Amino acid sequence: MDLGIAGKRALVCASSKGLGLGCAEALAGAGVNLVMNARGAEALEASAQAIRDAHGVEVVTVACDVTTPEGQAAVLEASEGADILVNNAGGPPPGMWTDWEREDFIKALDSNMLTPIAFIKGLVPAMMERGWGRVVNITSQAVRAPIPVLGLSNAARTGLTGYVAGTARQVAGKGVTINNLLPGIHATDRADALDGGVAKQQGISIEEARAQRASTIPAQRYGTREEFGAACAFLCSQHAGFIVGQNLLLDGGGVNLTM
Ligand code: NAP
C-alpha cells in the first residue's frame, strides 16, 4: 500500500533502538525524511546511517536526552517544519507503591507525559497552519490494564492519554491527528532487561524467562519492532486521517479485554 507520505518530514524521538527505531525504519520505507534522536550518539548514528543506506532518505540526528529542556530545544530546532511527530522515551523503573516519592513522580511525568506534550505544543501549531499533520505517542498496554510494579509508568502514561483525548479533538479540524500506540511485550532491549531480572530472581535462563512470558500472550510470542513500526507508519499515512484520539493496543491479545 502506498502510504502517500513520501517527501514528508518526521521527528522520531528515542529512535536508535527498539520501538522508536521500528517507527523510523517504517516511515523511511514510506519515503519520509527523518530527524532521529537518542542519548547515545554512536548507536544513533549507526541506526541513522543504516536507514540512509536502506531507504535513501535524509536523516538528521540529534543526540540528547529528550526529557530535558535543553534536549527538547535542540530537537525542536532540528525539526522545524516536521509533518509527523512520534513521541517516545525510556520507561520509568519498576518498584513498590510505598517506594516512590514526589521526585520519582516528577521524573516519570517529565519522561512520559510532559515531554510528549512539549513536542506536541512545539510542532502541532505549524502542522495546523499547513492543514496536515500526524502525531503518534508510544505509550503502553499499562494504560488499559495497570502493571502494578510499574506504578510510575501507569500514572504518567495515563496522564498523557487524558491530555491526548481532549487535544486530539481540538486539532483534528485542521487536518492534524493525534493517536497513541500501546505496546504489549515486544522483543527489544527493554524486554531483555526485564527478562534478565526475572531470570536472576527465579534462577532460570533468560531463554526460559522469555518462553515463560511468551506463553502468557495469546499470540504465543513477543511482537517485533517491524510490526510496531508498520502500525505507526499507517497511523501517519494519508489513509489514517479519520482516526482521531485512539489508543491502539499492539499486544498479541495479551490484555484480556472485550473492547
Ligand atoms: P529500548 O529498546 O530500550 O529503546 C529505547 C530507545 O529510546 C533507545 O534508542 C534509547 O537510546 C532511547 N531513549 C531512552 N530514553 C531516552 C531519552 N531520555 N532521550 C532520548 N532517547 C532516549 O525500549 P523500547 O522497548 O523500544 O521501549 C520504548 C518505550 O515503549 C518505552 O517507554 C517503554 O517503556 C515502552 N514499552 C515497551 C514495551 C516493550 O515490550 N518493549 C512494552 C510496553 C511499553 P539511548 O539509551 O541511547 O538514549
Side-chain angles (χ1 to χ4, degrees):
M1 183 191 284
D2 178 2
L3 297 183
I5 49 176
K8 293 207 181 280
R9 191 151 192 264
L11 163 61
V12 187
C13 298
S15 56
S16 66
K17 297 178 192 164
L19 305 179
L21 176 58
C23 296
E25 289 170 327
L27 287 168
V32 174
N33 298 311
L34 301 173
V35 177
M36 291 175 66
N37 149 266
R39 290 163 303 183
E42 205 176 315
L44 177 63
E45 193 43 52
S47 294
Q49 193 54 46
I51 287 179
R52 290 183 197 108
D53 294 344
H55 302 290
V57 297
E58 281 170 26
V59 184
V60 171
T61 56
V62 185
C64 65
D65 182 340
V66 87
T67 67
T68 64
E70 311 77 54
Q72 287 164 15
V75 168
L76 280 173
E77 197 185 331
S79 308
E80 215 185 322
D83 310 286
I84 294 168
L85 162 64
V86 180
N87 272 314
N88 186 31
M96 268 296 281
W97 64 274
T98 44
D99 296 339
W100 300 315
E101 303 298 340
R102 179 181 161 78
E103 278 315 303
D104 302 304
F105 281 99
I106 298 296
K107 216 170 156 194
L109 290 172
D110 267 339
S111 289
N112 301 113
M113 178 181 174
L114 301 176
T115 295
I117 290 173
F119 284 121
I120 288 170
K121 286 186 71 181
L123 295 176
V124 165
M127 293 180 194
M128 292 170 76
E129 272 172 34
R130 292 193 299 273
W132 197 94
R134 299 283 184 264
V135 180
V136 172
N137 303 299
I138 300 179
T139 65
S140 170
Q141 63 181 2
V143 167
R144 298 297 306 280
I147 301 169
V149 293
L150 293 180
L152 293 172
S153 172
N154 298 337
R157 296 187 199 274
T158 306
L160 176 65
T161 305
Y163 171 85
V164 165
T167 306
R169 287 160 173 94
Q170 291 178 309
V171 304
K174 298 286 184 192
V176 179
T177 69
I178 312 181
N179 292 287
N180 303 316
L181 278 181
L182 283 53
I185 312 302
H186 282 72
T188 67
D189 284 3
R190 174 145 169 110
D192 282 348
L194 292 173
D195 290 338
V198 170
K200 207 168 158 192
Q201 210 176 35
Q202 298 186 6
I204 56 176
S205 70
I206 189 161
E207 289 75 22
E208 285 169 318
R210 202 173 289 140
Q212 201 170 284
R213 197 144 68 117
S215 73
T216 67
I217 303 170
Q220 298 286 299
R221 66 173 178 87
Y222 288 9
T224 68
R225 76 165 196 251
E226 290 81 5
E227 291 171 310
F228 192 88
C232 175
F234 179 76
L235 283 180
C236 296
S237 76
Q238 294 292 358
H239 312 295
F242 208 50
I243 302 177
V244 171
Q246 297 302 301
N247 291 281
L248 179 62
L249 264 173
L250 295 177
D251 70 340
V255 180
N256 197 26
L257 295 168
T258 302
M259 287 202 295

